[in-house]
Amino acid sequence: MTDVDTRPVNGHTLTKLHPIPPELVGPPLPPAVAPDTVEAVDRPDNPLADWLTVPDAPVLPAWARSAASIRANVTAFVRLTWWQARYHGIRTPKYLVKTLLLAARGFYRATVGLWPTLSAQDHSAVVKALRAQSKARPEDVELAARLQLAHGIRTRTRRWRFGAAATAVAAATIGIVLADPLVQAGVAAAVVTPLAHLGRGKDTVLLDQGAPPLRVDMSAQQLNDALRAAGLLKSGRGDEEGPRVTCTMGPVRDGRGWAVIFDLPRGGGKTASDVLAKREVIAQELGVDEIQVIMSRVRAAKGGNAGRVSMWVADDDPYLGAPNPSPLAKAQTFSIWDPIPFGQDARGNRIEVPVMWQSMFFGGLPRRGKTFTQRLMTAAGLLDPYVRHYVADGKGGADWMPMRAVAHRLVMGAEDDAIEALKAMLAELLIEMERRFAILRELPTSLCPEGKLTPEIVKLKNLPVIFVTIDELQEYFTAMEKDDRDQVINDLCRIARRGPAAGFVSNFASQRPDAESVPTKLREIITLRYSTQVVDKASSDMVLGKGKAAQGADASVLSEDHVGTGVLVTGPASYVTVRADYLDGVEFTKLCTTGRTLRQAAGQLTGDAAGDVTAAADAAGLKIPAILTDVLEVMRHSVRMFTTDLIAGLVNIDEDTYGDYSPERLAAELEAAGVKRTSKQVKIGGVALAGYQRRDIEGAAPLETLLG
């Protein structure tokens, strides 16, 4: 009798049978109810036990296990073939000359080799021996006769051998001359090829090196040496090399670089996180810049463990070159519920970012493409008519000005009136958020199963997704009093924390993400973070999160050449360096115009955009003097403004145009544009000075633009 023991081994359930003592065995069961006997796979007497319990190894090499990998390798093979064809094609004359020289040497060697035969050297030994004997015994007549006979035989042999050779050469020459050119070429190749082969030397190479020179080379030995130099592998004693990593894949060529997946040896006390923290040292040991080394942990979901690392080393800087145009530029519509096309990683893989239920923060140094990248997210929302935009730009420049055609609320600048407008916008958002939660609570679970906004509820209850975009946050915080600053921070935190469930998408950006400019309490609740170049690891952690640089997500390794490139963090341990898609100002303006048209058709054009004179004129195809549109932009949050403040705002919009404007010139330009001032002075805060009223500026625009 046996006892059954079932246990998992290598992912398979195996059954083992153990003997049961006879005293514990009861009466046998009837055959009808006896349990089925299972033959064990790993019984000691089974000679196939070890083989059967070994997990199946992959039947395909690493490069052939996915369609994407096959396509990449086929593309690389075609590129290599084309490179080889061009490389050797332009060297064909050189190869012909080398072939002829080798053939000449081969002809010489053939001649030297055939000379003993042609000259009948096989008979010369006999002639020489007889001649020597004849000189020693000149009186020997018989010996002289034998010498004469041998000499005659050698002479006749030389004649017919040289004659045969001359006849063959003459016949071949005449045949080649009289033959067709194609036959001549074939015969020439048939003659030259063996002669060139005969003329080659031990180190002779006919063709030049036909492999593209690799800028980076990698082997398992180099990898181990680099890790050992970085202190990640122990050094051996004496002549022993010490422990080595186990490469589960590679190193192999992968696109324009080398790919390898390796496991750290056990017993060394090092983990994959330790490898990521030594990125700069490893890059130095491999002879490359750290921007070329892309490393990440391989998680258990992908067959990894705490000591498994995936590494890709690029041949050169993978983030330089012509920018990638954004697919949004040619799109007509887009659903904000889909992932937004964002950019490409180092290997050229498309990176898409889902933004629903998320909040975003963009940071980095000025003029590194931060605002252009932030606008990608907003641009996707422009093509969805059921997205309502709230936009605030602390700088008040031209980057976000096209949004006046679409934005429900648009705040430009960080002056006192703009700050008041921002506070009012946030208060409006909080009221709307609470209203939405009240609506969602009343909906049946069949329609709202998770208590969140859905695409169906958006249209059923007219609750469009709200995109809250705020650029240059530090400008607002540094311009506010402490009480206002604390209130705005609390409002933003509430929106970022609770808003996603109600369909709010926060999209914030700042140049200086320190505790004073953007408080930690706000940054720490942001789920998606993106940083362009920063000055050091501490600044990188301020944007991407504490400790991210030690994990490998370090934006300080980027240089001033990496415009539009940044590190994107999408989770506690998920990050990627992305070269963001490029969407210039002209394309962004076109998307704003398209977005306005889509909203008008869907009945979703609301708020500031619905009453914006300039946007309405643009949509109607009417031309308004630029001075009017710029003045209206500056006075967006004010019904009246002093002349000095108005000129300062114009300079902020376009310093090249308005940098030398005086009050007299401004008055003349506005009068020429049709502005009729009801009064030359305005009263603000009890102070009356020269200024303008917004209604006078709007009165200069065609009335029909306000009716659209």
Side-chain angles (χ1 to χ4, degrees):
M1 194 69 179
T2 57
D3 182 22
V4 180
D5 177 19
T6 302
R7 59 187 179 88
V9 176
N10 293 326
H12 303 280
T13 301
L14 304 181
T15 304
K16 234 178 188 178
L17 305 179
H18 304 287
I20 299 178
E23 61 271 14
L24 299 180
V25 179
L29 294 175
V33 297
D36 294 336
T37 301
V38 180
E39 181 66 24
V41 171
D42 59 346
R43 287 182 52 162
D45 58 346
N46 184 0
L48 301 179
D50 292 338
W51 179 76
L52 291 175
T53 56
V54 174
D56 293 336
V59 297
L60 292 176
W63 62 267
R65 294 176 192 169
S66 67
S69 179
I70 293 175
R71 285 194 301 269
N73 281 279
V74 169
T75 301
F77 177 77
V78 172
R79 288 177 50 245
L80 177 62
T81 302
W82 175 236
W83 188 93
Q84 293 273 12
R86 289 180 294 139
Y87 181 88
H88 293 298
I90 64 176
R91 288 167 173 77
T92 300
K94 175 182 177 181
Y95 297 156
L96 290 176
V97 173
K98 291 178 67 174
T99 301
L100 292 177
L101 292 176
L102 290 176
R105 182 193 295 175
F107 178 77
Y108 171 76
R109 291 180 175 177
T111 302
V112 172
L114 289 175
W115 184 256
T117 301
L118 294 175
S119 59
Q121 293 293 329
D122 50 336
H123 295 280
S124 295
V126 176
V127 173
K128 290 179 180 179
L130 291 174
R131 182 179 289 117
Q133 293 177 7
S134 180
K135 287 182 178 180
R137 293 181 294 172
E139 70 283 357
D140 191 338
V141 176
E142 183 181 355
L143 186 59
R146 290 172 56 192
L147 172 60
Q148 185 177 10
L149 178 62
H151 187 274
I153 293 174
R154 186 181 70 172
T155 301
R156 289 191 296 272
T157 302
R158 284 179 175 179
R159 288 174 180 173
W160 78 258
R161 289 183 181 181
F162 274 108
T167 301
V169 171
T173 303
I174 295 173
I176 293 174
V177 171
L178 297 179
D180 294 333
L182 187 61
V183 176
Q184 291 177 344
V187 173
V191 173
V192 171
T193 300
L195 289 178
H197 179 75
L198 182 61
R200 77 190 191 284
K202 181 185 296 186
D203 299 326
T204 299
V205 178
L206 176 63
L207 302 181
D208 292 346
Q209 178 62 36
L214 297 178
R215 302 184 184 182
V216 178
D217 197 5
M218 180 187 286
S219 64
Q221 182 62 44
Q222 289 173 310
L223 176 62
N224 280 280
D225 292 343
L227 295 175
R228 189 166 286 109
L232 298 168
L233 294 178
K234 293 181 179 179
S235 299
R237 297 180 179 179
D239 295 335
E240 296 181 359
E241 185 180 12
R244 299 168 58 87
V245 299
T246 302
C247 294
T248 60
M249 186 197 79
V252 296
R253 289 294 297 174
D254 183 1
R256 296 175 181 266
W258 290 90
V260 60
I261 299 176
F262 61 88
D263 289 335
L264 292 171
R266 298 180 183 180
K270 299 298 182 179
T271 65
S273 298
D274 297 322
V275 177
L276 302 184
K278 293 287 188 176
R279 175 184 175 187
E280 184 176 2
V281 179
I282 294 173
Q284 187 272 332
E285 292 297 326
L286 293 176
V288 298
D289 189 88
E290 58 187 304
I291 197 66
Q292 298 172 240
V293 180
I294 314 298
M295 293 192 297
S296 63
R297 285 189 57 180
V298 181
R299 292 288 179 171
K302 297 182 178 180
N305 55 66
R308 180 166 293 183
V309 179
S310 174
M311 178 188 294
W312 186 74
V313 182
D315 293 337
D316 48 20
D317 194 326
Y319 304 110
L320 299 181
N324 309 310
S326 172
L328 296 172
K330 296 182 179 180
Q332 297 301 316
T333 59
F334 186 82
S335 174
I336 201 64
W337 298 87
D338 296 332
I340 296 176
F342 189 71
Q344 296 181 3
D345 66 7
R347 303 195 201 191
N349 299 317
R350 169 58 57 182
I351 302 298
E352 296 181 334
V353 180
V355 297
M356 289 304 299
W357 328 125
Q358 305 288 346
S359 52
M360 299 171 286
F361 183 82
F362 293 80
L365 293 174
R367 292 171 294 281
R368 295 295 185 271
K370 170 179 58 64
T371 297
F372 275 64
T373 307
Q374 184 191 19
R375 286 197 315 196
L376 281 174
M377 321 308 287
T378 303
L382 292 173
L383 296 175
D384 189 337
Y386 288 92
V387 173
R388 183 174 295 170
H389 290 276
Y390 287 73
V391 180
D393 178 16
K395 184 172 62 176
D399 292 334
W400 295 97
M401 197 177 299
M403 287 296 296
R404 61 191 175 193
V406 178
H408 181 82
R409 294 286 179 259
L410 178 61
V411 179
M412 302 295 291
E415 292 76 18
D416 292 343
D417 55 348
I419 291 176
E420 292 301 320
L422 174 65
K423 292 163 58 179
M425 184 182 82
L426 296 178
E428 179 182 336
L429 286 169
L430 291 174
I431 294 173
E432 175 65 14
M433 183 174 67
E434 297 301 333
R435 184 182 77 88
R436 292 184 173 216
F437 280 127
I439 294 175
L440 294 174
R441 284 194 298 268
E442 298 298 325
L443 295 176
T445 55
S446 59
L447 182 61
C448 186
E450 298 181 3
K452 296 180 180 180
L453 194 69
T454 65
E456 294 75 18
I457 298 175
V458 166
K459 295 183 179 180
L460 180 64
K461 296 294 183 179
N462 191 24
L463 298 177
V465 174
I466 291 182
F467 222 98
V468 185
T469 302
I470 303 180
D471 193 9
E472 308 294 355
L473 268 172
Q474 79 284 348
E475 296 294 333
Y476 290 114
F477 292 148
T478 56
M480 291 179 181
E481 299 294 336
K482 184 179 184 304
D483 292 341
D484 288 341
R485 182 173 181 272
D486 292 342
Q487 181 60 48
V488 169
I489 291 172
N490 290 333
D491 292 346
L492 291 174
C493 288
R494 290 180 61 189
I495 292 172
R497 186 185 303 111
R498 300 185 60 221
F504 283 57
V505 179
S506 300
N507 184 17
F508 304 150
S510 174
Q511 291 182 9
R512 296 167 49 201
D514 52 55
E516 292 296 325
S517 301
V518 183
T520 304
K521 64 181 294 186
L522 174 60
R523 283 185 281 122
E524 290 303 318
I525 61 176
I526 304 296
T527 53
L528 301 177
R529 305 183 183 196
Y530 180 85
S531 178
T532 57
Q533 183 197 12
V534 292
V535 295
D536 52 30
K537 296 181 183 295
S539 298
S540 180
D541 281 349
M542 286 181 183
V543 181
L544 302 177
K546 185 177 181 180
K548 287 295 185 292
Q551 298 178 9
D554 183 10
S556 66
V557 304
L558 302 172
S559 70
E560 58 275 8
D561 296 323
H562 296 123
V563 178
T565 299
V567 180
L568 174 66
V569 172
T570 57
S574 301
Y575 65 88
V576 61
T577 302
V578 183
R579 193 176 183 204
D581 293 334
Y582 181 66
L583 186 72
D584 62 23
V586 174
E587 292 170 333
F588 185 70
T589 301
K590 290 180 180 178
L591 289 180
C592 289
T593 303
T594 302
R596 183 181 181 90
T597 303
L598 292 173
R599 283 160 178 77
Q600 286 175 329
Q604 292 295 319
L605 188 64
T606 59
D608 294 348
D612 189 280
V613 176
T614 304
D618 292 340
L622 300 175
K623 296 296 183 181
I624 295 180
I627 186 66
L628 291 182
T629 61
D630 291 341
V631 168
L632 286 173
E633 191 60 44
V634 174
M635 299 183 69
R636 172 175 292 275
H637 312 299
S638 305
V639 296
R640 60 186 65 87
M641 183 174 288
F642 294 139
T643 301
T644 53
D645 294 337
L646 181 56
I647 292 176
L650 291 171
V651 171
N652 187 43
I653 290 178
D654 190 348
E655 185 175 0
D656 293 336
T657 301
Y658 302 109
D660 56 352
Y661 262 49
S662 63
E664 293 76 15
R665 182 176 177 182
L666 176 61
E669 293 286 347
L670 290 176
E671 183 177 356
V675 175
K676 296 180 180 180
R677 300 169 70 180
T678 56
S679 64
K680 293 188 177 182
Q681 286 193 333
V682 296
K683 192 173 184 179
I684 303 176
V687 179
L689 295 173
Y692 294 84
Q693 298 192 51
R694 189 171 64 195
R695 66 172 182 266
D696 295 339
I697 308 300
E698 291 176 344
L703 182 61
E704 57 267 24
T705 61
L706 299 175
L707 304 178

mmCIF file of all heavy atoms in Angstrom, residues 250-269:
data_model
loop_
_atom_site.group_PDB
_atom_site.id
_atom_site.type_symbol
_atom_site.label_atom_id
_atom_site.label_comp_id
_atom_site.label_asym_id
_atom_site.label_seq_id
_atom_site.Cartn_x
_atom_site.Cartn_y
_atom_site.Cartn_z
ATOM 1 N N GLY A 250 21.905 37.132 -24.382
ATOM 2 C CA GLY A 250 22.958 38.001 -24.879
ATOM 3 C C GLY A 250 24.283 37.819 -24.166
ATOM 4 O O GLY A 250 24.497 36.827 -23.477
ATOM 5 N N PRO A 251 25.167 38.812 -24.366
ATOM 6 C CA PRO A 251 24.944 40.049 -25.135
ATOM 7 C C PRO A 251 24.750 39.768 -26.636
ATOM 8 O O PRO A 251 25.494 38.987 -27.223
ATOM 9 C CB PRO A 251 26.231 40.852 -24.918
ATOM 10 C CG PRO A 251 26.873 40.252 -23.709
ATOM 11 C CD PRO A 251 26.499 38.800 -23.754
ATOM 12 N N VAL A 252 23.731 40.407 -27.211
ATOM 13 C CA VAL A 252 23.450 40.268 -28.632
ATOM 14 C C VAL A 252 23.193 41.649 -29.215
ATOM 15 O O VAL A 252 22.819 42.585 -28.509
ATOM 16 C CB VAL A 252 22.220 39.364 -28.872
ATOM 17 C CG1 VAL A 252 22.476 37.956 -28.406
ATOM 18 C CG2 VAL A 252 20.984 39.934 -28.192
ATOM 19 N N ARG A 253 23.402 41.765 -30.517
ATOM 20 C CA ARG A 253 23.073 43.003 -31.201
ATOM 21 C C ARG A 253 21.563 43.181 -31.225
ATOM 22 O O ARG A 253 20.823 42.267 -31.554
ATOM 23 C CB ARG A 253 23.613 43.000 -32.624
ATOM 24 C CG ARG A 253 25.113 43.118 -32.738
ATOM 25 C CD ARG A 253 25.632 44.452 -32.267
ATOM 26 N NE ARG A 253 25.136 45.565 -33.071
ATOM 27 C CZ ARG A 253 25.354 46.841 -32.792
ATOM 28 N NH1 ARG A 253 26.023 47.173 -31.708
ATOM 29 N NH2 ARG A 253 24.894 47.787 -33.580
ATOM 30 N N ASP A 254 21.113 44.344 -30.846
ATOM 31 C CA ASP A 254 19.682 44.653 -30.824
ATOM 32 C C ASP A 254 19.510 46.057 -31.382
ATOM 33 O O ASP A 254 19.713 47.044 -30.674
ATOM 34 C CB ASP A 254 19.145 44.565 -29.395
ATOM 35 C CG ASP A 254 17.637 44.807 -29.337
ATOM 36 O OD1 ASP A 254 17.035 45.027 -30.399
ATOM 37 O OD2 ASP A 254 17.075 44.790 -28.234
ATOM 38 N N GLY A 255 19.145 46.135 -32.680
ATOM 39 C CA GLY A 255 19.005 47.453 -33.305
ATOM 40 C C GLY A 255 20.349 48.142 -33.392
ATOM 41 O O GLY A 255 21.342 47.576 -33.858
ATOM 42 N N ARG A 256 20.404 49.362 -32.876
ATOM 43 C CA ARG A 256 21.642 50.144 -32.894
ATOM 44 C C ARG A 256 22.352 50.069 -31.552
ATOM 45 O O ARG A 256 22.781 51.087 -30.996
ATOM 46 C CB ARG A 256 21.335 51.608 -33.248
ATOM 47 C CG ARG A 256 20.776 51.782 -34.662
ATOM 48 C CD ARG A 256 20.386 53.222 -34.919
ATOM 49 N NE ARG A 256 19.842 53.392 -36.253
ATOM 50 C CZ ARG A 256 20.548 53.760 -37.309
ATOM 51 N NH1 ARG A 256 21.823 54.016 -37.182
ATOM 52 N NH2 ARG A 256 19.988 53.887 -38.491
ATOM 53 N N GLY A 257 22.443 48.874 -31.007
ATOM 54 C CA GLY A 257 23.118 48.723 -29.728
ATOM 55 C C GLY A 257 23.206 47.256 -29.334
ATOM 56 O O GLY A 257 22.934 46.343 -30.119
ATOM 57 N N TRP A 258 23.609 47.032 -28.084
ATOM 58 C CA TRP A 258 23.770 45.693 -27.531
ATOM 59 C C TRP A 258 22.744 45.504 -26.427
ATOM 60 O O TRP A 258 22.520 46.389 -25.613
ATOM 61 C CB TRP A 258 25.177 45.503 -26.954
ATOM 62 C CG TRP A 258 26.255 45.432 -27.981
ATOM 63 C CD1 TRP A 258 26.975 46.467 -28.504
ATOM 64 C CD2 TRP A 258 26.740 44.253 -28.617
ATOM 65 N NE1 TRP A 258 27.868 46.008 -29.432
ATOM 66 C CE2 TRP A 258 27.757 44.649 -29.524
ATOM 67 C CE3 TRP A 258 26.421 42.906 -28.517
ATOM 68 C CZ2 TRP A 258 28.442 43.741 -30.307
ATOM 69 C CZ3 TRP A 258 27.107 41.994 -29.299
ATOM 70 C CH2 TRP A 258 28.114 42.420 -30.176
ATOM 71 N N ALA A 259 22.141 44.325 -26.389
ATOM 72 C CA ALA A 259 21.159 44.004 -25.358
ATOM 73 C C ALA A 259 21.636 42.789 -24.574
ATOM 74 O O ALA A 259 22.218 41.857 -25.131
ATOM 75 C CB ALA A 259 19.792 43.728 -25.972
ATOM 76 N N VAL A 260 21.386 42.814 -23.269
ATOM 77 C CA VAL A 260 21.749 41.688 -22.419
ATOM 78 C C VAL A 260 20.812 41.682 -21.212
ATOM 79 O O VAL A 260 20.399 42.741 -20.722
ATOM 80 C CB VAL A 260 23.224 41.781 -21.958
ATOM 81 C CG1 VAL A 260 23.481 43.047 -21.159
ATOM 82 C CG2 VAL A 260 23.621 40.554 -21.145
ATOM 83 N N ILE A 261 20.440 40.496 -20.779
ATOM 84 C CA ILE A 261 19.688 40.307 -19.538
ATOM 85 C C ILE A 261 20.505 39.357 -18.682
ATOM 86 O O ILE A 261 20.883 38.267 -19.135
ATOM 87 C CB ILE A 261 18.287 39.730 -19.805
ATOM 88 C CG1 ILE A 261 17.470 40.691 -20.683
ATOM 89 C CG2 ILE A 261 17.558 39.476 -18.497
ATOM 90 C CD1 ILE A 261 16.105 40.149 -21.059
ATOM 91 N N PHE A 262 20.810 39.768 -17.470
ATOM 92 C CA PHE A 262 21.686 38.953 -16.636
ATOM 93 C C PHE A 262 21.179 38.905 -15.200
ATOM 94 O O PHE A 262 20.443 39.785 -14.742
ATOM 95 C CB PHE A 262 23.131 39.484 -16.673
ATOM 96 C CG PHE A 262 23.292 40.887 -16.154
ATOM 97 C CD1 PHE A 262 23.512 41.141 -14.803
ATOM 98 C CD2 PHE A 262 23.227 41.969 -17.023
ATOM 99 C CE1 PHE A 262 23.663 42.427 -14.341
ATOM 100 C CE2 PHE A 262 23.389 43.276 -16.566
ATOM 101 C CZ PHE A 262 23.605 43.496 -15.222
ATOM 102 N N ASP A 263 21.589 37.844 -14.511
ATOM 103 C CA ASP A 263 21.292 37.653 -13.090
ATOM 104 C C ASP A 263 22.576 37.823 -12.286
ATOM 105 O O ASP A 263 23.623 37.241 -12.639
ATOM 106 C CB ASP A 263 20.717 36.260 -12.830
ATOM 107 C CG ASP A 263 19.303 36.104 -13.357
ATOM 108 O OD1 ASP A 263 18.617 37.137 -13.477
ATOM 109 O OD2 ASP A 263 18.894 34.964 -13.649
ATOM 110 N N LEU A 264 22.494 38.582 -11.221
ATOM 111 C CA LEU A 264 23.637 38.697 -10.323
ATOM 112 C C LEU A 264 23.827 37.385 -9.564
ATOM 113 O O LEU A 264 22.842 36.699 -9.242
ATOM 114 C CB LEU A 264 23.417 39.842 -9.338
ATOM 115 C CG LEU A 264 23.416 41.250 -9.930
ATOM 116 C CD1 LEU A 264 22.965 42.258 -8.887
ATOM 117 C CD2 LEU A 264 24.793 41.620 -10.455
ATOM 118 N N PRO A 265 25.063 37.023 -9.267
ATOM 119 C CA PRO A 265 25.287 35.766 -8.539
ATOM 120 C C PRO A 265 24.791 35.866 -7.104
ATOM 121 O O PRO A 265 24.835 36.935 -6.483
ATOM 122 C CB PRO A 265 26.811 35.601 -8.603
ATOM 123 C CG PRO A 265 27.335 36.995 -8.770
ATOM 124 C CD PRO A 265 26.316 37.716 -9.602
ATOM 125 N N ARG A 266 24.295 34.771 -6.599
ATOM 126 C CA ARG A 266 23.859 34.741 -5.209
ATOM 127 C C ARG A 266 25.062 34.678 -4.275
ATOM 128 O O ARG A 266 26.115 34.183 -4.640
ATOM 129 C CB ARG A 266 22.940 33.547 -4.979
ATOM 130 C CG ARG A 266 21.674 33.598 -5.816
ATOM 131 C CD ARG A 266 20.787 32.400 -5.550
ATOM 132 N NE ARG A 266 19.603 32.423 -6.398
ATOM 133 C CZ ARG A 266 18.650 31.499 -6.376
ATOM 134 N NH1 ARG A 266 18.757 30.463 -5.549
ATOM 135 N NH2 ARG A 266 17.617 31.598 -7.185
ATOM 136 N N GLY A 267 24.854 35.186 -3.083
ATOM 137 C CA GLY A 267 25.933 35.187 -2.107
ATOM 138 C C GLY A 267 26.736 36.464 -2.089
ATOM 139 O O GLY A 267 27.551 36.661 -1.187
ATOM 140 N N GLY A 268 26.519 37.318 -3.061
ATOM 141 C CA GLY A 268 27.265 38.572 -3.095
ATOM 142 C C GLY A 268 26.571 39.719 -2.400
ATOM 143 O O GLY A 268 27.165 40.774 -2.177
ATOM 144 N N GLY A 269 25.297 39.541 -2.079
ATOM 145 C CA GLY A 269 24.577 40.588 -1.363
ATOM 146 C C GLY A 269 24.198 41.783 -2.207
ATOM 147 O O GLY A 269 23.850 42.838 -1.669
#
